[in-house]
Amino acid sequence: MSSTDEERPAEILAELDRLRNRTRTRTHGGAWLPALAVAVLLLASIALYRMPFGQPTAIDTYHPYWAGLPDEQRNPVLSYAFWFVGTPLLFATTAAWYTLRARRLGLRVSWPLFAAAGLGVLLLLAVLAAVPETEIRPDGLAPAADWFWPGLLTPLLPVAAAVLALAWAERSPGLAAAGIWIVLLTVWLCGTFPLGYLPPWATDILGGESGSLGGQLSLRPGHYLVLMALPLVVFAAVRAARSRHDRDA
């Protein structure tokens, strides 16, 4: 048997691996657009707050946190309309994007899971929000029984659920990390008051001292929303560049 005959199976396997990798890259190359769309939605919600970057002298807020984070919003109806109209529009745009890609490339992604997760949690939010509103007391503390509710009654969690579902559909650890990041920030920020509150154990770790009474970060809603959106923007930029490189190759 000649060396050429021995090398042929290896060449065929290498070519199959190359085609398999290229197909996988093309299949999941469109994830940059829904990731960027979610980031844009998060950044656009900054406009819902009365002072998204400035430091107020007092904060008047209720839960559900229709703007997203526990801070004073411009108008509750505007916040409600933003999320309950903007989120379905996000999924409609994504559906059109994936449908176009499927027709052009013949490759399909389980994007309906992305929409189903986001809309399902958004519907659950609307049901849970039917309970009476609770005002935050002037001393800045919510009743202990209400601690967990603010973490649930925010339209940021449906967004996080959608990102995690998209990560599963796109087989993307980067998107999974971005979704977990949004969940962690949301539960922390919406589960405590005032915004950016650090419990004593956290300040002990950060300050290296014991016996502190807790603290608060000076960041405002706009800063936190930028932090939430940043991993999605980075992912979208990297994935779009990779997709363009694969298309030109």
Side-chain angles (χ1 to χ4, degrees), residues 14-86:
E15 180 65 17
L16 288 176
D17 288 339
R18 189 185 68 82
L19 291 175
R20 188 182 299 111
N21 292 333
R22 184 172 183 179
T23 300
R24 185 184 301 112
T25 301
R26 281 198 168 190
T27 301
H28 302 295
W32 65 269
L33 188 136
L36 182 61
V38 173
V40 170
L41 186 69
L42 290 172
L43 294 175
S45 70
I46 293 175
L48 300 176
Y49 300 91
R50 189 172 298 278
M51 297 185 67
F53 295 102
Q55 293 293 340
T57 57
I59 297 176
D60 182 22
T61 185
Y62 300 82
H63 68 74
Y65 302 139
W66 289 126
L69 295 176
D71 203 85
E72 190 168 358
Q73 56 192 331
R74 296 181 184 276
N75 186 290
V77 176
L78 176 62
S79 299
Y80 186 93
F82 175 87
W83 290 109
F84 280 84
V85 174

Side-chain angles (χ1 to χ4, degrees), residues 79-248:
S79 299
Y80 186 93
F82 175 87
W83 290 109
F84 280 84
V85 174
T87 306
L89 284 178
L90 165 69
F91 297 136
T93 302
T94 301
W97 168 250
Y98 279 118
T99 300
L100 179 63
R101 281 180 54 83
R103 290 175 180 175
R104 187 174 70 249
L105 302 177
L107 302 171
R108 296 183 180 276
V109 176
S110 301
W111 64 263
L113 181 63
F114 169 60
L119 291 176
V121 179
L122 191 66
L123 178 61
L124 178 62
L125 168 65
V127 173
L128 293 175
V131 299
E133 294 182 343
T134 300
E135 184 176 4
I136 301 297
R137 299 201 308 257
D139 58 9
L141 299 174
D146 290 336
W147 183 90
F148 191 62
W149 284 104
L152 288 178
L153 302 182
T154 166
L156 292 174
L157 283 186
V159 173
V163 173
L164 290 173
L166 182 65
W168 187 90
E170 292 283 1
R171 307 295 190 269
S172 171
L175 279 176
I180 293 173
W181 173 244
I182 296 174
V183 170
L184 292 177
L185 278 180
T186 300
V187 172
W188 167 47
L189 295 171
C190 295
T192 58
F193 193 88
L195 189 69
Y197 170 75
L198 294 173
W201 63 265
T203 55
D204 290 346
I205 294 175
L206 295 175
E209 302 176 356
S210 60
S212 65
L213 299 177
Q216 180 186 0
L217 296 181
S218 59
L219 300 180
R220 299 289 295 135
H223 301 117
Y224 287 116
L225 288 166
V226 169
L227 289 176
M228 286 186 187
L230 185 58
L232 293 170
V233 173
V234 173
F235 172 86
V238 172
R239 184 60 63 91
R242 186 183 303 172
S243 179
R244 187 179 301 110
H245 177 270
D246 177 73
R247 186 173 59 250
D248 297 338

